[in-house]
């Protein structure tokens, strides 16, 4: 079992920045691919960014060059640095853990979400 707790969501003006954090507990953090997803009202949940156990990153096109995902295995924490925020980034952001690496069955774990509002 993995427990995930997000923080850092807030109301920010367009062009501003936020850093989301997700602290994991309950298992070996370094063995999980970590991701950030978001869900806007009336829309499906979508993958925003992902970082593998080997620190390989992936970003959806709409956030490339604006968002950065990183992980600190010593702190069991994954971060999402969001710059140049736009109103269309408004959503509930969810942390996801997928793994553990090397297992026959990979499991998905989710946090409770943190709200990001981008508005003037």
């Amino acid at each position: 079992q993995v427990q995930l707790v997000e923080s850092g969501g807030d109301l920010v003006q367009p062009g501003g920045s936020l850093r989301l954090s997700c602290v994991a507990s309950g298992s070996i953090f370094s063995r999980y691919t970590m991701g950030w997803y978001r869900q806007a009202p009336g829309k499906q949940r979508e993958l925003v960014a992902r970082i593998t156990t080997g620190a390989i990153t992936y970003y959806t096109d709409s956030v490339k060059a604006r968002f950065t995902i990183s992980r600190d295995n010593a702190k069991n924490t994954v971060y999402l640095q969001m710059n140049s925020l736009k109103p269309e980034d408004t959503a509930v952001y969810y942390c996801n853990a997928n793994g553990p690496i090397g297992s026959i069955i990979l499991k998905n774990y989710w946090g409770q979400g943190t709200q990001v509002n981008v508005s003037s």
Side-chain angles (χ1 to χ4, degrees), residues 2-117:
V2 176
Q3 294 79 44
L4 302 172
V5 179
E6 304 102 329
S7 61
D10 205 345
L11 171 63
V12 63
Q13 292 187 342
S17 297
L18 281 177
R19 188 175 83 156
L20 305 183
S21 300
C22 172
V23 180
S25 61
S27 190
I28 303 174
F29 177 76
S30 61
R31 299 184 63 193
Y32 287 79
T33 290
M34 301 301 297
W36 286 98
Y37 289 70
R38 66 186 178 187
Q39 188 167 18
K43 295 188 176 181
Q44 290 188 334
R45 190 174 298 190
E46 65 170 350
L47 174 64
V48 176
R50 178 193 294 135
I51 184 166
T52 69
T53 56
I56 297 172
T57 57
Y58 162 85
Y59 299 92
T60 194
D61 285 345
S62 61
V63 308
K64 284 180 180 177
R66 298 190 299 123
F67 291 10
T68 302
I69 189 171
S70 61
R71 66 190 298 161
D72 186 337
N73 290 339
K75 295 182 178 180
N76 288 358
T77 303
V78 61
Y79 304 97
L80 185 68
Q81 177 67 43
M82 305 186 294
N83 299 328
S84 303
L85 283 161
K86 304 175 180 180
E88 51 263 44
D89 295 318
T90 294
V92 179
Y93 284 71
Y94 296 91
C95 180
N96 172 268
N98 181 267
I101 188 172
S103 295
I104 295 174
I105 299 175
L106 300 179
K107 295 184 178 181
N108 263 320
Y109 300 94
W110 295 93
Q112 82 288 350
T114 186
Q115 179 71 50
V116 172
N117 288 311

